[in-house]
Amino acid sequence: MIRHSILDKLPDALQEDVLETVKAMSLPQGKILFRAGEPCQGLPLVLRGTVKVQMTGAAGNSIVLYRMGKDDICTLSIGCLMTGYGYRAEALVEEASEAVMIPRGLFDRLMDQSAEFRLGVMESYGRRLDDLMLLVEEVAFRRMDERLDEWLQARTSPVLITHQELAVELGTAREVVSRLLKELERKGRVKLARGRIELTGL
Amino acid sequence: MIRHSILDKLPDALQEDVLETVKAMSLPQGKILFRAGEPCQGLPLVLRGTVKVQMTGAAGNSIVLYRMGKDDICTLSIGCLMTGYGYRAEALVEEASEAVMIPRGLFDRLMDQSAEFRLGVMESYGRRLDDLMLLVEEVAFRRMDERLDEWLQARTSPVLITHQELAVELGTAREVVSRLLKELERKGRVKLARGRIELTGL
DNA sequence: CCGCTTCAGTGATAAAGTCACACTGGACCG
DNA sequence: CGGTCCAGTGTGACTTTATCACTGAAGCGG
């Protein structure tokens, strides 16, 4: 069953067109949707689940750039599609997902014939750009302890994550996360266990 | 005279449409095209000159996100146009420029009626996204001395810039730039003067 | 030439990143 | 069921970067 907010708004003729062309893909957790350097096959639409997009530096350290969820569009792919250059980041399925791949030809047709589709794509682009600008500012200027705090506040206890994974979320080194967390534990703000952070209120 | 690569490709009817609607703006060096928080009036097309887009953190430190030059589109504006939220960054005219502002209605019409225009917009978006992803990686993982080196290598001696401006280019503090430059001078790689860096080979 | 403003240099200290290595909880295996 | 292994974690030592506070120097306008 293919349902995606951007497809729902299409006129019936185009919707049929889409349904004939694309096939839904099941993406198990851990699956890599694309890797850095790979060419782009089409525009993925996420039907359900979440996919994280991350980038790896020369020294092997990674940072999560943003996430895609239900009804999202992998806008990043459009650029690759247009220019023919490979992806610069990689996409990892976080929660088991379903997606469809819109090939180049169909994408052009949709852009041509549906103002709603165009709007959806533009909005998605705007959001990504915004996300990335915010991220640049965070990484360039904000203190790590603040960012860690914020990250923790935004979820519910207990958080099941390793220090290494958390380091990738924040774009820092594992040791830095370990030390900051230990400090928080000394202050009584969290309780640490292997792969698990319990938020013990204030 | 209004000439912009993305307009040149339009069919004659639309070109006339554009010429009737927009007026070229002269942007003197130092002029601020938009500030953070301001709402977006339309899509600026840069006809000539260069405009830098930068962002300022809470503590007052800034970083240059990217530049726009001749035939560029201020893609960032589209997102603001769509969502109605204000700009997150500010745009500063670096070299005296000329630009035209495409209002919302005309933008929609162009997107609707010209595949070339759409292609131009998509390409521009792709490039910005790419720029920003690269920047995130740089800021998050690369060493400042390397980045400074690279930045210097990419231009011709003498470079006329203050340490403060250079710090904004790299997204760091003025003192850091001063120290790194002094170090380079000790190594004989540059010669420093007020507002001026001479690259002495090697 | 004087006084002001902008630019640059630098010490002290704190935060963050890197490197190296020790320890440990738990899974798996014989 | 104890032993082995390994991902995950803790930590010391050191380097790099950021921040704060201040000094001095260059250039400009009068």
Side-chain angles (χ1 to χ4, degrees), chain A residues 1 20 22 33 45 52 64-65 80 86 108 110 117 127 130 139 142 154 157 181 198 201:
Chain A
M1 184 56 188
E20 274 170 27
V22 307
L33 190 54
L45 306 184
K52 70 176 167 184
V64 173
L65 298 176
C80 300
D108 287 342
L110 291 172
F117 187 81
R127 232 175 314 125
D130 225 50
V139 170
R142 302 216 24 230
S157 180
L181 282 174
E198 203 177 321

Side-chain angles (χ1 to χ4, degrees), chain B residues 49-92:
Chain B
T50 65
V51 177
K52 69 177 169 185
V53 173
Q54 62 185 46
M55 187 167 201
T56 299
N61 20 23
S62 302
I63 183 169
V64 173
L65 297 176
Y66 59 85
R67 290 188 154 70
M68 297 182 292
K70 177 171 152 57
D71 289 341
D72 257 333
I73 307 172
C74 182
T75 333
L76 176 53
S77 300
I78 301 178
C80 300
L81 216 53
M82 295 292 167
T83 62
Y85 291 130
Y87 285 106
R88 193 174 292 288
E90 63 178 8
L92 200 78

Side-chain angles (χ1 to χ4, degrees), chain A residues 126-141:
Chain A
R127 232 175 314 125
R128 287 301 157 248
L129 226 44
D130 225 50
D131 287 352
L132 284 179
M133 286 172 39
L134 232 42
L135 184 59
V136 168
E137 203 229 301
E138 284 238 325
V139 170
F141 301 130

Side-chain angles (χ1 to χ4, degrees), chain A residues 61 143-145 172-173 175-176 179-180 194:
Chain A
N61 19 24
R143 291 189 37 165
M144 200 49 84
D145 51 357
T172 182
E175 295 92 317
V176 174
R179 273 192 256 262
L180 289 174
R194 181 172 252 244

Side-chain angles (χ1 to χ4, degrees), chain B residues 2-202:
Chain B
I2 295 178
R3 286 199 74 91
H4 188 289
S5 62
I6 203 170
L7 297 181
D8 286 355
K9 292 179 214 134
L10 293 176
D12 290 353
L14 280 176
Q15 264 194 49
E16 277 173 39
D17 213 354
V18 170
L19 293 181
E20 274 171 27
T21 314
V22 307
K23 51 186 194 303
M25 300 180 292
S26 258
L27 305 172
Q29 194 227 338
K31 160 113 183 164
I32 293 177
L33 191 54
F34 53 79
R35 288 193 161 79
E38 281 181 13
C40 175
Q41 304 303 329
L43 175 69
L45 306 185
V46 178
L47 305 181
R48 58 180 195 81
T50 65
V51 177
K52 69 177 169 185
V53 173
Q54 62 185 46
M55 187 167 201
T56 299
N61 20 23
S62 302
I63 183 169
V64 173
L65 297 176
Y66 59 85
R67 290 188 154 70
M68 297 182 292
K70 177 171 152 57
D71 289 341
D72 257 333
I73 307 172
C74 182
T75 333
L76 176 53
S77 300
I78 301 178
C80 300
L81 216 53
M82 295 292 167
T83 62
Y85 291 130
Y87 285 106
R88 193 174 292 288
E90 63 178 8
L92 200 78
V93 178
E94 217 169 13
E95 298 167 16
S97 302
E98 233 171 312
V100 295
M101 188 69 92
I102 308 273
R104 175 69 192 261
L106 179 57
F107 173 74
D108 287 343
R109 201 152 62 247
L110 291 173
M111 286 294 284
D112 190 56
Q113 293 172 17
S114 165
E116 288 78 17
F117 187 81
R118 285 198 295 271
L119 194 68
V121 168
M122 291 292 115
E123 265 182 3
S124 171
Y125 251 128
R127 232 173 315 126
R128 289 299 158 250
L129 226 44
D130 224 51
D131 287 351
L132 284 179
M133 287 172 40
L134 233 40
L135 183 59
V136 168
E137 202 229 302
E138 283 239 326
V139 170
F141 300 129
R142 305 218 20 232
R143 293 191 37 167
M144 202 47 85
D145 52 357
E146 278 175 27
R147 291 178 57 209
L148 175 59
D149 255 37
E150 241 166 58
W151 193 94
L152 289 173
Q153 294 304 327
R155 43 218 77 214
T156 50
S157 180
V159 186
L160 300 181
I161 193 173
T162 67
H163 297 184
Q164 178 57 56
E165 287 163 348
L166 191 34
V168 172
E169 291 294 323
L170 299 174
T172 182
R174 198 264 313 161
E175 297 92 317
V176 174
V177 170
S178 287
R179 274 192 254 261
L180 290 175
L181 282 174
K182 210 65 194 166
E183 185 57 30
L184 285 181
E185 192 176 43
R186 272 189 282 274
K187 288 183 192 159
R189 309 242 284 88
V190 300
K191 260 173 74 178
L192 301 177
R194 181 172 247 242
R196 178 190 158 96
I197 304 169
E198 203 177 322
L199 310 176
T200 59
L202 181 60

